[in-house]
Structures are given as C-alpha cells and as structure tokens.
Amino acid sequence: MSMESPRVVVRSEGDGVSVLVCSGEFDLDTAGVLRAACERASAAEILVLDVAQVGFADSTFLNLLLKLRKSRRLVLIGPLSEQLLRLLEMTGTLALFEIRENAPEAP
C-alpha cells in the first residue's frame, strides 16, 4: 500500500487569518508536516484548515486538530473526505469543529 505524501501550504490572509491547505495522508509518521505548518502560522488568531484534499487521517491528525482548537479559532473547510468525516463521527468529535464550505471572514 503506498501512501500519498502529506503536504501543507500556508497562506496568510491578513487580519489574523492563516489558511493551511492540506493534502495527502496524515498518520503518526507524517502528522509532523501539519504540526510544523501550524507553528509557522502561530501568530494567526483564526486558523483555517482546508481539508478537502486529505485522503486519509488517523487519530494523530485528530488529536492535533483537538489541540489546535483549544489555542485559537479553528475552522475546517471542505468538503470533508468520507474517511475524515467517518473518523470525526466515530469519535464523537464532529460537533466540536466549525466546518464550512468556504473560508470564514475575519472578525
């Protein structure tokens, strides 16, 4: 089984908003890519994760999302893959996240 390498592109939208466009597969071995990108966007008050191109995410990815939402406003924009949606539903965490089709406006 070959995994699609994860990639995260960080884009500052100004007004305290950073958009992280995530693609590929995120697990214990590869979630560091997202962690490092979040550190680069540490000044942002609002962190928008575009997860439409995430093909696979495990509990490591989910734990990182849960930590991020404690430190700032976190918005997931999608659509969410069937696998990611199932992960959030099965763990009872879906309702904890703000999920939108498009990036939110800055406050």
Side-chain angles (χ1 to χ4, degrees), residues 1-85:
M1 177 177 130
S2 95
M3 286 193 54
E4 184 183 337
S5 296
R7 182 171 174 204
V8 180
V9 176
V10 180
R11 209 174 59 227
S12 176
E13 297 289 309
D15 294 327
V17 177
S18 282
V19 176
L20 281 66
V21 180
C22 306
S23 61
E25 300 182 3
F26 294 85
D27 63 13
L28 179 62
D29 294 328
T30 61
V33 173
L34 178 57
R35 194 174 297 110
C38 291
E39 289 171 9
R40 289 196 307 273
S42 63
E45 295 173 27
I46 302 173
L47 198 58
V48 177
L49 264 63
D50 182 338
V51 294
Q53 298 174 46
V54 172
F56 175 81
D58 73 357
S59 61
T60 308
F61 184 85
L62 176 58
N63 284 328
L64 185 53
L65 295 183
L66 292 168
K67 287 178 185 173
L68 288 171
R69 71 176 285 279
K70 286 184 176 183
S71 65
R72 65 188 102 180
R73 181 174 169 201
L74 176 66
V75 179
L76 303 179
I77 57 174
L80 275 58
S81 71
E82 189 175 311
Q83 189 273 328
L84 182 55
L85 181 61

